[in-house]
Amino acid sequence: MKSYIYADCAATSPLKQSAFEMMIPYLTDVFYNPSQLYSAALGAKRGLEDARDTIASCIGAYPDEIYFTSCGSESDNWVIKSAKRGIITSAAEHHAVLRPAEYMENCGHRVVFLNPCDTGEVTAQILDSAFSSQDNNDISLVSVMTANNELGTVSDIAALAEEAHRHKALFHTDAVQAVGHIPLDVHSLGVDMLSASAHKWGGPRGIGFLYIKRGLYIQQLIKGGSQESGMRAGTENVAGAVGAAAALEECVTNMCKTTEHLICLEKIITEILDAYGAEYRRNGGKNRLPGLMSLSFPGFDGEAILHRMDLYGVCISTGSACDSRNTEISHVLKAVGMDERSALGTVRISLGDFTTADDARVIGESLVKIVRKD
Ligand code: PLP
């Protein structure tokens, strides 16, 4: 099989070996339904609850604040569809937030879609001015992503949560791209709800979670059995939860080292582009996810760059992976007001802890071969 340089970790990441090994017993011998009362099932129950404990400690939560879901989209939908009154969100959110927000609007709720700064950041000031508009006096929920999946920009979530609370609204953050990649402590951030998805941090696909602050009651997601404290019925994905926890623990333990490594790799790529005088722009704010590079090559076609990179054996993305069949300018680049020429020539490179300096050199040199004008 052809081996690729995988540089699309923001779309999904390879399963970490530690996660895979921890999952095996729960996919084989310890297959039991964790709700059953016989002693054999206790191992499955223990695996699930240990995973919950580990995940909680990785984000500064209490275990009873973690509700397992199947993915980030499910967690986001759960929150947005639970809003009691109006919602403020940003126009640069993932579709997992935007689509349910549009649904709520169609159901008669007031929904405000804020435009972030040109870096993709949503500031407390932007949020405050939305609250100051007379039309927006019935807002019960604010939802702003921690890190943008196309630009990598990280917003000041503590300041946004404080601003939402000042206006008596709950605050949710879609932290799907951030958990496992930057330090996050839900209690010190002051968020009420936070969505996450394991396949973005080297855990398996098919498992995510929603953090709900203790004492906050939102509507049940799935009615049925009493799993997840009666909030989301359905026999639990024990192996998924165990793998998610193992991978997250590894990410958090190695976070400083990984960040340093990713910043070195980014430098290798930009130095190669600079050395060849490539005309490009690095997008996003000062505060960015390590390893996520949104690069615009004005006058080029991002999709054509992607296909040529593929021929060089490198997997990258144009904008968001979830938009890969849509050749229009991504809604995120539109929301930050990027000019059409740059937006159409934008690609996203997202590196992982497994990416080597040689991989980064190949990525930089392949890009140069594609965008060099001589
Ligand atoms: N939110 C953000 C910011 C994302 O990047 C993604 C996936 O790319 C999602 C939500 C959806 O996550 P999932 O694929 O786990 O449903």
Side-chain angles (χ1 to χ4, degrees):
M1 201 172 74
K2 183 175 172 182
S3 78
Y4 288 97
I5 293 177
Y6 185 71
D8 198 18
C9 292
T12 196
S13 55
L15 185 66
K16 289 194 183 301
Q17 187 64 23
S18 60
F20 176 62
E21 281 166 17
M22 288 292 285
M23 288 170 73
I24 293 171
Y26 298 94
L27 292 165
T28 51
D29 299 350
V30 195
F31 63 87
Y32 307 99
N33 185 325
S35 300
Q36 293 306 96
L37 299 178
Y38 34 78
S39 51
L42 286 180
K45 177 87 181 150
R46 205 172 304 122
L48 182 70
E49 294 317 320
D50 286 351
R52 199 185 310 277
D53 289 354
T54 302
I55 286 176
S57 75
C58 287
I59 62 159
Y62 302 122
D64 62 335
E65 295 176 315
I66 303 296
Y67 296 83
F68 286 115
T69 61
S70 69
C71 60
S73 301
E74 182 182 320
S75 304
D76 286 342
N77 270 255
W78 187 0
V79 174
I80 302 298
K81 290 182 178 167
S82 302
K84 294 221 165 67
R85 301 189 309 279
I87 302 168
I88 296 180
T89 187
S90 102
E93 296 295 307
H94 191 273
H95 284 137
V97 166
L98 291 178
R99 294 288 183 249
E102 286 159 9
Y103 166 81
M104 294 299 274
E105 196 173 28
N106 290 335
C107 293
H109 289 252
R110 175 156 186 81
V111 181
V112 181
F113 296 95
L114 301 174
N115 275 328
C117 312
D118 58 1
T119 59
E121 189 184 354
V122 177
T123 62
Q125 205 180 1
I126 295 176
L127 181 57
D128 182 40
S129 41
F131 272 113
S132 307
S133 159
Q134 293 216 329
D135 299 331
N136 302 336
N137 55 9
D138 195 27
I139 301 297
S140 64
L141 174 70
V142 174
S143 178
V144 178
M145 69 207 311
T146 305
N148 186 277
N149 50 302
E150 292 191 33
L151 301 168
T153 303
V154 176
S155 289
D156 183 346
I157 293 305
L160 290 166
E162 195 181 329
E163 194 60 41
H165 293 156
R166 207 164 64 77
H167 294 277
K168 310 273 181 280
L170 293 174
F171 186 81
H172 162 251
T173 188
D174 171 346
V176 166
Q177 291 290 344
V179 172
H181 300 282
I182 55 172
L184 288 175
D185 181 300
V186 283
H187 291 166
S188 51
L189 288 173
V191 299
D192 299 296
M193 289 166 282
L194 175 146
S195 306
S197 184
H199 71 104
K200 307 288 189 182
W201 68 69
R205 277 161 288 278
I207 185 95
F209 69 83
L210 179 65
Y211 157 81
I212 308 177
K213 188 178 168 174
R214 203 183 255 179
L216 171 66
Y217 294 98
I218 66 169
Q219 70 184 34
Q220 283 172 310
L221 178 65
I222 304 175
K223 295 185 201 309
S226 59
Q227 294 91 351
E228 299 305 298
S229 309
M231 297 288 276
R232 182 193 185 270
T235 303
E236 302 90 337
N237 176 359
V238 179
V242 167
L248 185 56
E249 194 169 36
E250 188 180 320
C251 286
V252 170
T253 307
N254 298 334
M255 198 175 278
C256 292
K257 205 172 72 189
T258 305
T259 301
E260 258 175 51
H261 174 63
L262 292 172
I263 289 170
C264 283
L265 299 179
E266 290 181 2
K267 218 165 145 232
I268 292 175
I269 295 173
T270 51
E271 278 176 2
I272 292 173
L273 290 172
D274 293 338
Y276 284 90
E279 194 198 324
Y280 76 101
R281 189 174 87 198
R282 173 107 196 241
N283 305 309
K286 272 208 195 87
N287 198 4
R288 279 189 298 238
L289 285 178
L292 196 156
M293 306 173 78
S294 168
L295 302 176
S296 293
F297 298 92
F300 285 88
D301 174 8
E303 200 175 321
I305 298 177
L306 177 156
H307 289 303
R308 293 206 44 202
M309 289 294 276
D310 194 13
L311 293 176
Y312 289 122
V314 182
C315 306
I316 62 163
S317 163
T318 57
S320 156
C322 313
D323 262 355
S324 61
R325 275 168 298 158
N326 186 349
T327 49
E328 280 181 20
I329 295 175
S330 92
H331 70 279
V332 173
L333 303 183
K334 266 191 199 153
V336 297
M338 188 180 287
D339 67 279
E340 192 173 327
R341 208 164 156 267
S342 302
L344 287 172
T346 300
V347 293
R348 179 186 70 184
I349 295 166
S350 42
L351 312 166
D353 55 0
F354 55 87
T355 312
T356 64
D358 281 344
D359 294 340
R361 261 177 236 116
V362 173
I363 294 170
E365 284 160 9
S366 305
L367 277 172
V368 164
K369 283 187 223 160
I370 296 165
V371 302
R372 189 160 53 190
K373 286 201 168 132
D374 50 31

